[in-house]
Amino acid sequence: QREPKYSQVLLQKCEIFLELEQYEQAISSCEEAIKIDGIWGRSSPADAWTQRAIAVLELGRLETAKLQDLGQVDAAEARKIQSLEDAITSYDQARRIAPNSSLILTEKCGILIELERYQESRESCELAIAVNENWGVSTPAQALEYLLVIRQEIDPSNPLQVNNPKEPEELAEQFQNLVSFYEQILSENPNNAEAWTRQGIALQTLGKT
């Protein structure tokens, strides 16, 4: 009320609504922050676009589940695709403001996988690793795991070739780091079946069958 152009406060309201699982209000607050585009403090419009994307996805999941419960399969699938596409639009807007955000690129990569747009998702995840900045709540391991999923979908029998100019050596090194990451997890919990599986896929990707 005292400072109507305080976009940062509206962003914080958006984040609180997200915590409360009030997704429509979260979307509204983030959109208002972006529209006003006033005082951002340490935040930026990229943060509002990112939070909007999260709220859009969560709202879409809720509404998709409701439609599925009602037996409206086609409508549920359409709602799912709509929310995923809307979230991509938000992440694209965020990246125009924060082009060196590996977090945004990784999140976009995951959504593109859900849409089965594997080539685009691969480009987004590989760029996230190449940029290697501003990971936020994500990590390079998440981008690498998405790349493993993509490889399994595109060509599971084709190992990553270190000498292939389309697949730089740094990427192979990152996959080797991922193998080591799983080794650490398994040393702490050797009964972690998921870690064993993911490590096996990573090794297969490196051609170490």
Side-chain angles (χ1 to χ4, degrees), residues 144 160 162 168-178 206:
L144 289 165
L160 187 149
V162 176
E169 187 174 350
E170 307 88 75
L171 188 59
E173 291 176 358
Q174 290 281 3
F175 274 109
Q176 187 58 56
N177 290 338
L178 187 60
L206 288 165

Side-chain angles (χ1 to χ4, degrees), residues 112-179:
L112 288 166
I113 288 173
E114 287 194 64
L115 289 168
E116 299 182 6
R117 290 159 57 179
Y118 297 118
Q119 186 56 43
E120 292 176 71
S121 61
R122 176 177 177 171
E123 292 170 1
S124 189
C125 267
E126 287 184 350
L127 186 55
I129 293 167
V131 169
N132 197 27
E133 292 182 26
N134 304 313
W135 286 97
V137 296
S138 190
T139 67
Q142 179 62 75
L144 289 165
E145 287 187 354
Y146 281 152
L147 283 173
L148 291 179
V149 172
I150 295 162
R151 281 183 164 275
Q152 287 297 106
E153 293 293 338
I154 293 176
D155 191 357
S157 63
N158 184 22
L160 187 149
Q161 300 296 324
V162 176
N163 296 322
N164 186 336
K166 294 182 180 179
E167 296 173 336
E169 187 174 350
E170 307 88 75
L171 188 59
E173 291 176 358
Q174 290 281 3
F175 274 109
Q176 187 58 56
N177 290 338
L178 187 60
V179 171

Side-chain angles (χ1 to χ4, degrees), residues 51-106:
Q51 294 300 311
R52 181 189 182 277
I54 296 170
V56 163
L57 288 171
E58 293 298 334
L59 179 62
R61 291 187 181 107
L62 281 178
E63 294 182 347
T64 297
K66 289 178 181 178
L67 289 168
Q68 287 174 337
D69 290 342
L70 293 171
Q72 299 179 25
V73 179
D74 291 342
E77 183 63 20
R79 181 66 185 93
K80 176 185 175 182
I81 292 172
Q82 180 191 40
S83 66
L84 293 172
E85 294 282 5
D86 193 358
I88 286 176
T89 299
S90 284
Y91 280 126
D92 283 342
Q93 291 287 353
R95 189 162 178 265
R96 288 190 181 96
I97 302 162
N100 293 328
S101 172
S102 292
L103 169 64
I104 292 170
L105 288 162
T106 302

Side-chain angles (χ1 to χ4, degrees), residues 186-206:
L186 291 167
S187 68
E188 298 171 1
N189 180 11
N191 295 321
N192 188 327
E194 182 178 1
W196 279 113
T197 301
R198 290 184 178 275
Q199 187 187 55
I201 295 172
L203 288 166
Q204 181 186 23
T205 301
L206 288 165

